[in-house]
């Protein structure tokens, strides 16, 4: 349940914050949300990557389809990728990696500052 909640919150945060601030502010926000939810590191990694990757792919599709511009196709040709959709896929992969490592950092930070009991026998 926390995985779905974190994914949804990250989609909301990225969708609201991304148009107004640079990507590194969004990464800090994802880390804070991940730390506040207190989810396991691997689940945070996947939720952060899925949330930010989906939003970046969605925004890329939205901008390329509704603007009617040839720019994605021209940029894909200029970079030697062949098509603009390859550029959208690369944008999604980059968003996945940025979001995943941001959420993982937030989860690891919470685990680092959470006190661990020392008076427990671990036999």
């Amino acid at each position: 349940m926390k995985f779905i909640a974190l994914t949804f919150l990250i989609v909301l945060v990225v969708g609201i914050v991304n148009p107004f601030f640079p990507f590194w502010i969004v990464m800090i926000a994802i880390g804070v949300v991940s730390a506040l939810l207190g989810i396991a590191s691997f689940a945070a990694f996947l939720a952060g990557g899925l949330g930010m990757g989906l939003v970046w792919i969605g925004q890329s599709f939205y901008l390329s389809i509704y603007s009617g511009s040839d720019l994605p196709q021209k940029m894909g040709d200029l970079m030697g990728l062949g098509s603009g959709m390859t550029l959208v896929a690369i944008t999604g992969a980059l968003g996945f990696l940025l979001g995943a490592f941001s959420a993982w950092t937030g989860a690891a930070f919470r685990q680092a500052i959470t006190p661990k009991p020392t008076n427990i026998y671990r036999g």
Side-chain angles (χ1 to χ4, degrees), residues 6-32:
L6 181 61
T7 305
F8 183 71
L9 283 173
I10 288 174
V11 166
L12 285 177
V13 165
V14 174
I16 292 170
V17 175
N18 200 32
F20 304 109
F21 294 102
F23 73 95
W24 56 271
I25 297 287
V26 177
M27 291 174 66
I28 292 171
I30 289 172
V32 168

Side-chain angles (χ1 to χ4, degrees), residues 3-95:
F3 175 79
I4 295 170
L6 181 61
T7 305
F8 183 71
L9 283 173
I10 288 174
V11 166
L12 285 177
V13 165
V14 174
I16 292 170
V17 175
N18 200 32
F20 304 109
F21 294 102
F23 73 95
W24 56 271
I25 297 287
V26 177
M27 291 174 66
I28 292 171
I30 289 172
V32 168
V33 168
S34 177
L36 290 176
L37 232 60
I39 193 168
S41 296
F42 185 69
F45 181 84
L46 289 179
L50 187 64
M52 192 163 176
L54 287 176
V55 172
W56 276 25
I57 286 176
Q59 287 177 345
S60 297
F61 274 130
Y62 177 78
L63 291 174
S64 65
I65 291 172
Y66 287 111
S67 68
S69 174
D70 292 353
L71 188 61
Q73 181 65 35
K74 289 180 181 179
M75 288 301 294
D77 290 339
L78 183 67
M79 293 179 170
L81 300 174
S83 89
M85 288 301 119
T86 308
L87 190 61
V88 169
I90 291 172
T91 301
L94 184 63

